[in-house]
Amino acid sequence: GETWVLMKTAQTPTNIAVIKYWGKRDESLILPVNDSISVTLDPAHLCTTTTVAVSPVFQQDRMWLNGKEISLSGGRFQSCLREIRRRASEVEDKEKGVKIEKKDWEKLHVHIASYNNFPTAAGLASSAAGFACLVFALAKLMNVKEDESQLSAIARQGSGSACRSLFGGFVKWIMGKEEDGSDSVAVQLVDEKHWDDLFIVIAVVSSRQKETSSTSGMRESVETSLLLQHRAKEVVPKRILKMEEAIKNHSFESFAQLTCADSNQFHAVCLDTCPPIFYMNDTSHRIISYVEKWNRSEGSPQVAYTFDAGPNAVLIARNRKAAAQLLQRLLFYFPPKSDIDLDSYVIGDKSILQ
Ligand code: PMV
């Protein structure tokens, strides 16, 4: 039989929400209860690289993550594979003498190899980069002729936050109104050049895997938290508008105030969930206190903090100088190899550390 292989590789950075997504109105399609806004990180620091291959000799779809085979049987992988296959079109490689018709894609199997350049499950949104990259690489391989927003609706079915990683810069995930999720897509607000003096430092408080997955955490919050209802209806819609203004105008003061308030409200929703969910720990709380105190003493905010479903702090400094001061302070409060539970693992421009 035939023995050819066709391959494509894609690289996708992770993203960090500054207005959080927390709560699904539809669990299987992954439709959120509110809009969210994120910033996509520089691919040099936190990204996934995925190579996808197709060959008539492959007997089944298979995937390896960081060199270890993982199961593709989960509904989320199956949704992404199905939706991409459905949109596949003809592919021709004259050099290899290969022609794949649209209908052939149903029978052909793919092999997927994915690598994260950061510790998986360190609470650093690895699923966001992972599913975005998987969908993007498969779309290239199968010659899917859809734009990033349409692809984002497919990545969304792998992991909600993944839909925002198909764009750089600041990205909004619009919750949408349709029942089929066709209008629940990500759009780029501004590209990565628009506000390029921002500087992101991540303090890895603990690289242990989180205890409550975002999926079960969200489900419990939706079922039990009244604060979540209030947040989704009354708070987030107004915050989204203000955040879009702040980003457009490079207003760091408003940006920092909204980012910190939204992170704190997300963790308040977690605490309002029954049984309560604790993602932050004492070290996270200490970082918040230090940043709040410093911002107050400067008269205007220098650094914004935000925490996802884990204890690690994502710190967004207004510029390089503020980031350098932040790192100095972090190293002072959490000296390397001290007994404090901070891996003192920071990501940013290496030159600042030297
Ligand atoms: O997409 P998920 O299931 O990993 O959920 C992400 C949830 C948060 O990271 C806490 C918030 C967000 O908007 O990314």
Side-chain angles (χ1 to χ4, degrees):
E2 298 173 287
T3 55
W4 51 267
V5 182
L6 294 187
M7 282 202 281
K8 288 283 183 208
T9 296
Q11 204 170 57
T12 308
T14 193
N15 73 78
I16 303 290
V18 290
I19 301 292
K20 305 289 186 198
Y21 145 56
W22 194 253
K24 299 181 181 81
R25 62 179 202 275
D26 182 315
E27 274 211 27
S28 67
L29 284 170
I30 311 195
L31 302 178
V33 295
N34 57 255
D35 293 348
S36 54
I37 293 180
S38 61
V39 57
T40 298
L41 302 188
D42 180 339
H45 301 309
L46 291 168
C47 80
T48 300
T49 304
T50 299
T51 299
V52 289
V54 62
S55 167
V57 304
F58 295 164
Q59 299 293 307
Q60 51 174 325
D61 294 336
R62 294 175 76 181
M63 176 162 178
W64 291 260
L65 177 61
N66 297 323
K68 253 183 72 185
E69 183 156 17
I70 61 164
S71 165
L72 281 175
S73 65
R76 287 152 176 242
F77 284 112
Q78 289 303 316
S79 298
C80 291
L81 284 162
R82 183 190 62 237
E83 294 302 315
I84 289 288
R85 276 203 173 96
R86 190 177 283 168
R87 292 164 177 81
S89 33
E90 185 183 292
V91 169
E92 188 166 11
D93 186 320
K94 290 213 170 90
E95 238 168 78
K96 292 184 173 153
V98 177
K99 190 166 174 182
I100 306 173
E101 312 268 3
K102 188 176 162 59
K103 62 169 176 21
D104 297 336
W105 285 112
E106 283 164 41
K107 306 181 296 262
L108 285 165
H109 292 289
V110 290
H111 282 187
I112 303 160
S114 200
Y115 288 89
N116 291 329
N117 71 345
F118 56 92
T120 305
L124 294 176
S126 55
S127 70
F131 276 105
C133 200
L134 173 69
V135 165
F136 196 73
L138 285 172
K140 281 212 290 187
L141 181 74
M142 300 191 188
N143 192 20
V144 172
K145 294 176 179 120
E146 304 215 341
D147 64 22
E148 271 87 350
S149 273
Q150 285 165 302
L151 292 181
S152 80
I154 302 175
R156 187 201 75 227
Q157 296 176 57
S159 172
S161 55
C163 74
R164 299 183 309 235
S165 267
L166 284 159
F167 299 95
F170 281 93
V171 182
K172 173 158 84 162
W173 173 11
I174 301 166
M175 63 182 284
K177 293 195 283 280
E178 301 296 336
E179 251 171 67
D180 66 358
S182 53
D183 59 349
S184 188
V185 298
V187 294
Q188 187 179 54
L189 294 175
V190 294
D191 70 16
E192 51 279 6
K193 291 191 282 295
H194 172 77
W195 201 351
D196 61 359
D197 42 357
L198 290 183
F199 213 100
I200 299 179
V201 171
I202 298 177
V204 181
V205 170
S206 166
S207 45
R208 290 213 337 256
Q209 194 153 0
K210 59 190 168 201
E211 271 161 42
T212 309
S213 73
S214 53
T215 302
S216 60
M218 282 186 209
R219 184 183 306 139
E220 288 161 12
S221 293
V222 167
E223 284 170 1
T224 66
S225 170
L226 277 176
L227 180 57
L228 178 138
Q229 310 293 331
H230 170 68
R231 164 177 167 73
K233 273 201 215 71
E234 308 293 338
V235 181
V236 175
K238 292 181 192 121
R239 267 189 196 155
I240 289 278
L241 294 175
K242 286 189 189 152
M243 182 59 90
E244 285 188 57
E245 275 302 294
I247 292 167
K248 219 188 298 157
N249 302 327
H250 303 94
S251 166
F252 189 78
E253 182 154 3
S254 171
F255 172 82
Q257 191 261 322
L258 292 162
T259 298
C260 300
D262 203 69
S263 171
N264 291 333
Q265 188 176 65
F266 154 50
H267 291 278
V269 165
C270 291
L271 209 57
D272 189 47
T273 298
C274 184
I277 305 162
F278 310 103
Y279 285 125
M280 293 193 284
N281 65 18
D282 287 352
T283 308
S284 320
H285 292 147
R286 283 179 61 190
I287 294 173
I288 293 180
S289 299
Y290 293 143
V291 171
E292 290 281 353
K293 223 181 275 165
W294 180 27
N295 282 345
R296 207 144 310 155
S297 75
E298 294 283 332
S300 66
Q302 301 302 303
V303 173
Y305 56 82
T306 186
F307 296 73
D308 282 336
N312 302 323
V314 176
L315 301 157
I316 309 175
R318 72 184 308 154
N319 53 35
R320 174 178 289 264
K321 186 170 158 235
Q325 287 174 337
L326 169 68
L327 281 175
Q328 261 176 26
R329 280 158 202 261
L330 282 175
L331 290 170
F332 173 77
Y333 289 123
F334 306 103
K337 299 201 180 72
S338 65
D339 54 355
I340 297 158
D341 180 27
L342 182 80
D343 288 1
S344 55
Y345 177 78
V346 285
I347 298 161
D349 192 328
K350 299 264 187 339
S351 63
I352 278 191
L353 290 168
Q354 284 155 11

